[in-house]
Amino acid sequence: MTATFPDLHMSPRLLAPGATPADHTTHVRRYGPLAYGDPAGLLRTLAESGLTGRGGAAFPAYRKFVAVADAARRTGRAPVVVANGAESEPASHKDRTLLRLSPHLVLDGLQVAASALGAEEACLAVEDGASWMEAALAERHDPLPVTVVRLPRRFLAGQASALARYVFGGPALPTHPDPPVRERGVRRVPTLVQNVETLAHLALIACYGADWFRAAGTPAQPGSALCTLHVPGREVRVAEAPFGMPLARLLPLNGTAAVLVGGYHGTWIPTAQAAQLPLDASTLGAGVLAALPADRCGLTETAHVLRYLALQSAGQCGPCLNGLPRIAAFRTLAEPGPQGATRDDITRWTALTEGRGACHHPDGTIRLVRSALTTFAPELDAHARGLCTATDRTPLLPVPQET
């Protein structure tokens, strides 16, 4: 069970107070009846709120809505709305925690999004929690029925085109980005794929307005975000925090060497630098923050993740099929002593792979590699001399055992 501390850093917005799941009666008593508003007014409020996607890219939600609406008008076909609860990132627990504690907030946001776009079909895609979401749907009487889709456990299953392809009856693998899902997605109609946390924020914005939403965070990055916090010796925690909050208030940094920000497509940052940084939407990625103790080997942690990412590739283009296994040779750098691949080899392979993938999986992997090469440069030098400063080899980051 993931520990939740919704009131640790701000008054709870998304997570039910007391970490107790809210049924529909409790939800309505807490937030009131679902407020749809007129579509044009809702889109204006969404633009004023400054809400960005919480699935990793931090793309402005308003722009995505407008793009789908424009494509629907241009094609004359009603769009499909997909709530993305895949959370394929192994280190992230935020979406499943939100779905468990506040399922009706997500479902409210899904209905609001569908109403704003004139959608005739809506679905909720999840890896975990399908049964309790189906139970939550049974409590409701929404104008638009919602279908729960169970996704396979794959790192790329939550990628927008893979998700649309799977809902359409195909494999959960990315497709070529042209045309994008917003123009041709599920059943080749314009499709809005939105992370479940983003939809929960949308429901609250529809209820309370843009000014309320902007009361948290910063003028440039308004609102709050759910974060999955990994600290050795402690239970994994999910906390809600406003953008702009110092990372040092979210994670205990004493005795740590580095912080992983953003998850497996994120970046390693030395502790001294991380201690000066705020929670930032542009780097938060999947919402994962992990503090690496000084007695652990960051190269070993990175090597484990890179092997997993290489095995999870779609295998549909050269950068995934050939580039990621080459980059995963990083594992030889994680072993003290003679190394089969050098730092220069890894640098060259990342340069040859970058920007050439059909999806962002190779580029996200390269981001992690480059940050490790920089952040753990002293450890790289020690390994080259046959030494390792780590005294504890216990993994910090979770990697599925089947890989």
Side-chain angles (χ1 to χ4, degrees), residues 34-115:
L34 178 57
Y36 289 95
D38 69 282
L42 177 65
L43 289 178
R44 283 196 300 272
T45 302
L46 182 58
E48 293 167 358
S49 73
L51 174 66
T52 55
R54 300 298 194 259
F59 190 79
Y62 168 75
R63 288 173 56 188
K64 183 179 284 191
F65 271 70
V66 169
V68 173
D70 288 347
R73 281 192 294 269
R74 189 169 58 252
T75 61
R77 306 187 69 182
V80 173
V81 177
V82 179
N84 188 354
E87 195 161 45
S88 305
E89 161 75 60
S92 179
H93 295 203
K94 72 179 185 71
D95 290 344
R96 74 194 73 170
T97 300
L98 175 64
L99 290 170
R100 179 173 60 85
L101 296 181
S102 302
H104 295 287
L105 203 56
V106 174
L107 294 174
D108 278 359
L110 181 55
Q111 291 293 325
V112 169
S115 174

Side-chain angles (χ1 to χ4, degrees), residues 235-258:
E235 191 173 11
V236 176
R237 303 184 298 161
V238 172
E240 184 174 4
F243 288 121
M245 170 172 283
L247 294 185
R249 287 187 58 190
L250 279 163
L251 287 173
L253 298 181
N254 289 338
T256 66

Side-chain angles (χ1 to χ4, degrees), residues 308-389:
Y308 166 76
L309 293 176
L311 291 171
Q312 289 292 306
S313 81
Q316 298 182 131
C317 66
C320 259
L321 189 62
N322 301 313
L324 292 185
R326 286 291 187 94
I327 293 171
F330 185 100
R331 65 184 179 276
T332 64
L333 301 181
E335 294 298 329
Q339 298 167 336
T342 67
R343 189 180 335 193
D344 290 342
D345 290 333
I346 302 299
T347 300
R348 182 174 67 256
W349 292 332
T350 58
L352 291 172
T353 304
E354 185 178 22
R356 291 177 169 83
C359 69
H360 294 299
H361 186 43
D363 287 350
T365 304
I366 289 168
R367 184 182 305 115
L368 179 70
V369 171
R370 286 178 173 165
S371 69
L373 291 175
T374 301
T375 299
F376 305 120
E379 190 69 7
L380 278 170
D381 294 335
H383 281 209
R385 299 193 304 271
L387 305 173
C388 181
T389 61

Side-chain angles (χ1 to χ4, degrees), residues 152-174:
R153 292 181 179 276
R154 287 189 57 84
F155 187 78
L156 294 178
Q159 197 268 353
S161 65
L163 191 54
R165 189 178 184 183
Y166 188 77
V167 171
F168 189 33
L173 294 172

Side-chain angles (χ1 to χ4, degrees), residues 15-267:
L15 300 182
T20 303
D23 60 18
H24 192 245
T25 300
T26 302
H27 172 78
V28 172
R29 187 167 60 245
R30 183 175 295 148
Y31 300 106
L34 178 57
Y36 289 95
D38 69 282
L42 177 65
L43 289 178
R44 283 196 300 272
T45 302
L46 182 58
E48 293 167 358
S49 73
L51 174 66
T52 55
R54 300 298 194 259
F59 190 79
Y62 168 75
R63 288 173 56 188
K64 183 179 284 191
F65 271 70
V66 169
V68 173
D70 288 347
R73 281 192 294 269
R74 189 169 58 252
T75 61
R77 306 187 69 182
V80 173
V81 177
V82 179
N84 188 354
E87 195 161 45
S88 305
E89 161 75 60
S92 179
H93 295 203
K94 72 179 185 71
D95 290 344
R96 74 194 73 170
T97 300
L98 175 64
L99 290 170
R100 179 173 60 85
L101 296 181
S102 302
H104 295 287
L105 203 56
V106 174
L107 294 174
D108 278 359
L110 181 55
Q111 291 293 325
V112 169
S115 174
L117 294 173
E120 296 181 355
E121 186 175 355
C123 70
L124 170 66
V126 293
E127 285 185 359
D128 296 314
S131 58
W132 72 64
M133 292 309 299
E134 289 169 342
L137 283 167
E139 297 182 88
R140 303 169 64 95
H141 302 284
D142 292 319
L144 184 64
V146 174
T147 302
V148 176
V149 177
R150 292 171 169 82
L151 290 169
R153 292 181 179 276
R154 287 189 57 84
F155 187 78
L156 294 178
Q159 197 268 353
S161 65
L163 191 54
R165 189 178 184 183
Y166 188 77
V167 171
F168 189 33
L173 294 172
T175 60
H176 195 278
D178 187 23
V181 168
R182 64 178 179 271
E183 295 182 7
R184 192 169 70 186
V186 177
R187 276 181 282 286
R188 297 188 174 87
V189 304
T191 300
L192 176 75
V193 177
Q194 201 75 77
N195 175 261
V196 291
E197 184 188 341
T198 313
L199 291 173
H201 283 293
L202 174 65
L204 293 175
I205 290 169
C207 182
Y208 299 123
D211 289 343
W212 172 88
F213 180 76
R214 299 185 73 93
T218 70
Q221 295 186 356
S224 61
L226 296 178
C227 304
T228 306
L229 309 179
H230 292 262
V231 179
R234 301 189 185 184
E235 191 173 11
V236 176
R237 303 184 298 161
V238 172
E240 184 174 4
F243 288 121
M245 170 172 283
L247 294 185
R249 287 187 58 190
L250 279 163
L251 287 173
L253 298 181
N254 289 338
T256 66
V259 176
L260 178 64
V261 178
Y264 293 176
H265 278 175
T267 55

